Amino acid sequence: MSGSKLLDDSNNRNAGDHPLGMTVHSIPSPEQAFERDARRTGSGRWKMLVVMLVCAAPVIASYFMYYVVRPEGRRNFGELIEPQRPLPDQASLSLSGTTSNLQALKGQWLIVSVSGGACDEACTRHLYLQRQLRESVGKEKDRIDWVWLVQDDAPVPDKLLPALKEATVLRVAAKALADWLKPSAGQQLADHLYLVDPMGNWMMRFPAHLDVDHAPQAKKDIERLLRASASWDQAGRGTVRPANQ
């Protein structure tokens, strides 16, 4: 075979041969990976916050209208509690012996009184006013529960039981109640009626020794709150009413 022939064969082989190509991708540094993960985490948190704000918007708007956008000259009869104090994670006992938790009361507006089980004259007056305040709001009454929290082991008088059929009566440790609810200066815990919103926050305290003459002023506060929360609060929402008898 001639030299020219060998050269031609060599050129032909070289023209058909191709080297194996390999692409090497760079690996991000630990700092770059950390920054990328941080951006993703931050983005996820912002999205979650936006969703929470959208869900809470009706509640925030209703309280803004009540607390901030007030007609000139309007004053609350009850004292607003700021910051609001949530229902404690506290065991309770119904008159029938059923155990539950105070947080089970969430889902309704609550008109709350506190006293010993013997229920003196002031206690009896409060129970009467609680029932009357609830009945006085008419068709909106199903959005309200009246609650008597008994802070000792004294038996409840039998004569009261028929009047308590629509009430929620629970025995709760006195210390737990004192840690949650607070009277105004110079008053006792049992001297007030307290208002709790459907989210379980104690948010208003009515003046001590409320009587029939001043009850209409308390009613006005309750009616304004019911109107302000009408867009997000529904009757009986989430409420677990413990048996009393």
Side-chain angles (χ1 to χ4, degrees):
M1 185 178 296
S2 65
S4 59
K5 179 65 172 176
L6 288 173
L7 183 59
D8 291 340
D9 291 343
S10 175
N11 289 337
N12 290 336
R13 286 196 302 270
N14 290 339
D17 293 340
H18 298 283
L20 180 63
M22 296 182 66
T23 302
V24 178
H25 298 279
S26 61
I27 300 175
S29 68
E31 292 80 4
Q32 292 173 325
F34 178 80
E35 291 177 0
R36 182 184 61 191
D37 291 344
R39 286 195 297 269
R40 289 178 179 175
T41 301
S43 176
R45 288 176 178 172
W46 277 110
K47 290 178 181 177
M48 183 180 297
L49 180 60
V50 169
V51 171
M52 291 174 63
L53 288 174
V54 169
C55 295
V59 180
I60 295 171
S62 65
Y63 277 101
F64 179 81
M65 292 297 296
Y66 185 81
Y67 290 128
V68 182
V69 186
R70 305 178 184 176
E72 196 67 28
R74 189 181 97 188
R75 297 183 60 187
N76 303 313
F77 177 66
E79 179 183 357
L80 295 171
I81 305 303
E82 298 178 358
Q84 299 173 1
R85 301 168 68 95
L87 278 162
D89 182 8
Q90 175 63 41
S92 60
L93 186 68
S94 72
L95 297 185
S96 65
T98 302
T99 59
S100 60
N101 191 293
L102 281 183
Q103 292 187 346
L105 297 174
K106 291 181 180 180
Q108 291 279 85
W109 287 96
L110 309 176
I111 306 174
V112 178
S113 65
V114 179
S115 77
C119 198
D120 58 15
E121 182 180 351
C123 164
T124 303
R125 182 178 67 251
H126 274 167
L127 294 177
Y128 170 77
L129 290 174
Q130 287 173 271
R131 181 178 64 184
Q132 293 305 107
L133 284 170
R134 180 177 183 270
E135 294 295 325
S136 68
V137 298
K139 65 180 182 180
E140 299 291 348
K141 72 177 184 178
D142 290 336
R143 295 169 59 191
I144 302 173
D145 281 348
W146 56 295
V147 180
W148 177 23
L149 300 179
V150 181
Q151 58 184 345
D152 60 22
D153 296 326
V156 173
D158 290 340
K159 64 181 181 180
L160 287 180
L161 296 180
L164 295 172
K165 289 182 178 180
E166 294 186 1
T168 298
V169 184
L170 298 171
R171 293 188 189 275
V172 184
K175 184 181 184 306
L177 292 178
D179 289 342
W180 175 43
L181 302 172
K182 301 293 180 183
S184 59
Q187 303 297 332
Q188 302 296 316
L189 202 61
D191 293 337
H192 297 275
L193 290 181
Y194 305 88
L195 194 64
V196 178
D197 71 21
M199 293 177 289
N201 297 312
W202 167 41
M203 49 76 62
M204 182 173 282
R205 176 178 58 213
F206 292 114
H209 312 296
L210 183 66
D211 56 26
V212 174
D213 292 336
H214 294 92
Q217 293 173 269
K219 176 191 172 185
K220 289 181 181 179
D221 281 348
I222 294 172
E223 287 177 331
R224 283 198 291 265
L225 286 165
L226 290 173
R227 286 196 298 269
S229 62
S231 64
W232 56 270
D233 174 47
Q234 299 176 5
R237 177 170 53 86
T239 297
V240 178
R241 181 191 293 274
N244 294 326
Q245 301 175 32

